[in-house]
């Protein structure tokens, strides 16, 4: 066992698009990291892929603890996950299954919380004490850090901003509700809405292509990003006036659209945030490519300190 893996924890980040794992030291340094695409399949097939990933990262290392960030919803008390975008896992006993692989303390948090913690620890939020982190990708996840501590809620699902309803008469959402932020701002839903308006209807495309076309001036793509930005802004401002925060950090694959997303988002936030205590709300891009992993590791370190 190498010296640099003796005092590490294992961070695991699970989403609908990819799964990642890393050994992380107490100062936030990633010693080794690996990732795979999240496979389709039943519960055991998905977990088998995760187990292989964990095995590759661990090698002969013995981490002090494991922190897991998973797409939600979840039941942190009982270690169960039911990710909206991983249909094979419903009330899946993730904590018990991971503990069977690595016999150390295991903690579980929503991926959005882990993203927020990671950016708070070493990223764009390291100079503030209260922030909202949002991951815009296959879905839309969120997490809050308030006065330097994660705000988890009774079940561990607080700040699930992707399922804040911004249009009660809107499109149906995978969660069962209508008009959620995620129905307008997630990558797959934006692509689907653009294609219904006639954009690239005969092609297999993703949000990166939609963003490139928006940057090139495509009217449909620009309108779809504006709709997504409006929904995100509504969720952000609702959270800001509830929690009294000043900083929002946004990451995830869709955030890589850059100004195509952030310019209309800034305009919509400014338009909607009219109360004086949120008038200076700052919305910034994430600084870390692996904030979820680092947040999961931060969670693990906190559990053994």
């Amino acid at each position: 066992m190498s010296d640099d893996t003796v005092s590490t924890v294992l961070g695991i980040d699970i989403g609908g698009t990819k799964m990642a794992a890393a050994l992380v030291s107490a100062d936030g340094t990633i010693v080794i990291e690996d990732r795979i695409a999240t496979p389709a399949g039943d519960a055991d097939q998905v977990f088998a892929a995760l187990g292989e990933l964990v095995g590759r990262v661990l090698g002969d290392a013995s981490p002090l603890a494991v922190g897991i960030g998973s797409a939600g919803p979840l039941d942190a008390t009982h270690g169960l996950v039911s990710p909206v975008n991983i249909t094979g896992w419903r009330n899946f006993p993730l904590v018990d299954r991971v503990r069977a692989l690595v016999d150390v303390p295991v903690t579980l948090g929503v991926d959005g919380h882990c993203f927020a913690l990671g950016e708070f620890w070493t990223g764009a939020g390291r100079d503030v004490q209260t922030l909202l982190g949002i991951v815009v990708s296959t879905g839309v996840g969120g997490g809050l850090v308030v006065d330097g501590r994660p705000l988890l809620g009774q079940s561990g699902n607080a700040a699930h901003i992707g399922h804040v309803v911004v249009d009660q008469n809107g499109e149906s959402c995978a969660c069962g509700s209508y008009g959620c932020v995620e129905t307008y701002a997630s990558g797959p839903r934006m692509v689907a809405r653009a294609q219904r308006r006639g954009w690239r209807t005969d092609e297999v495309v993703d949000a990166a292509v939609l963003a490139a076309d928006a940057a090139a001036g495509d009217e449909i793509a620009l309108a779809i990003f504006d709709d997504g930005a409006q929904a995100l802004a509504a969720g952000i401002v609702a959270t800001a006036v509830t929690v009294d925060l000043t900083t929002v950090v946004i990451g995830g694959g869709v955030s890589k659209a850059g100004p195509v997303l952030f310019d209309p988002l800034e305009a919509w936030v400014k338009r909607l945030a009219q109360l004086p205590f949120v008038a200076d709300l700052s919305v910034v891009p994430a600084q870390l490519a692996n904030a979820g992993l680092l947040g999961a590791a931060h969670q693990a370190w906190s559990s053994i300190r």
Side-chain angles (χ1 to χ4, degrees):
M1 186 183 305
S2 62
D3 291 342
D4 56 2
T5 62
V6 172
S7 295
T8 58
V9 298
L10 176 66
I12 299 174
D13 182 27
I14 299 171
T17 302
K18 57 89 178 170
M19 299 191 290
L23 289 173
V24 183
S25 65
D27 65 356
T29 299
I30 290 181
V31 177
I32 183 172
E33 176 184 353
D34 198 0
R35 62 187 59 210
I36 59 171
T38 302
D42 64 24
D44 289 334
Q45 289 171 325
V46 176
F47 185 77
L50 176 63
E52 291 177 7
L53 173 67
V54 167
R56 289 202 304 270
V57 169
L58 286 180
D60 62 353
S62 298
L64 301 174
V66 178
I68 306 171
S70 173
L74 53 77
D75 179 346
T77 301
H78 299 100
L80 308 176
V81 299
S82 303
V84 172
N85 295 307
I86 304 178
T87 56
W89 282 359
R90 289 296 174 266
N91 288 319
F92 184 74
L94 183 59
V95 168
D96 285 346
R97 294 289 295 271
V98 169
R99 191 179 291 119
L101 293 177
V102 191
D103 189 18
V104 294
V106 179
T107 58
L108 173 66
V110 178
D111 55 355
H113 286 296
C114 291
F115 167 80
L117 272 174
E119 288 291 334
F120 169 77
W121 192 16
T122 62
R126 62 186 176 275
D127 295 324
V128 301
Q129 286 296 298
T130 300
L131 68 87
L132 169 65
I134 303 176
V135 181
V136 189
S137 184
T138 308
V140 177
L144 278 165
V145 177
V146 177
D147 295 332
R149 302 180 63 183
L151 179 64
L152 303 177
Q154 179 178 339
S155 67
N157 290 288
H160 217 80
I161 190 171
H163 298 285
V164 171
V165 175
V166 293
D167 180 3
Q168 68 268 33
N169 297 312
E171 298 179 13
S172 62
C173 181
C175 75
S177 189
Y178 297 88
C180 296
V181 170
E182 187 169 297
T183 66
Y184 298 98
S186 72
R189 293 301 290 261
M190 287 202 297
V191 168
R193 293 180 68 248
Q195 289 188 312
R196 289 200 298 272
R197 295 191 191 183
W199 174 79
R200 293 183 181 260
T201 55
D202 298 326
E203 302 176 52
V204 178
V205 287
D206 59 15
V209 178
L210 185 67
D213 279 10
D218 183 276
E219 291 184 2
I220 294 175
L222 283 168
I224 292 296
F225 266 95
D226 189 67
D227 289 347
Q230 182 179 0
L232 272 174
I236 286 169
V237 173
T239 306
V241 298
T242 302
V243 182
D244 192 6
L245 55 84
T246 59
T247 304
V248 181
V249 182
I250 298 184
V254 175
S255 73
K256 293 180 174 61
V260 165
L261 174 66
F262 282 93
D263 286 354
L265 180 58
E266 181 179 353
W268 278 111
V269 168
K270 184 175 181 180
R271 178 175 175 179
L272 297 176
Q274 293 299 310
L275 290 171
F277 68 94
V278 292
D280 294 326
L281 192 60
S282 174
V283 181
V284 298
Q287 292 182 356
L288 305 173
N290 45 18
L293 270 177
L294 285 167
H298 185 282
Q299 183 179 262
W301 279 114
S302 296
S303 72
I304 59 175
R305 284 173 173 156

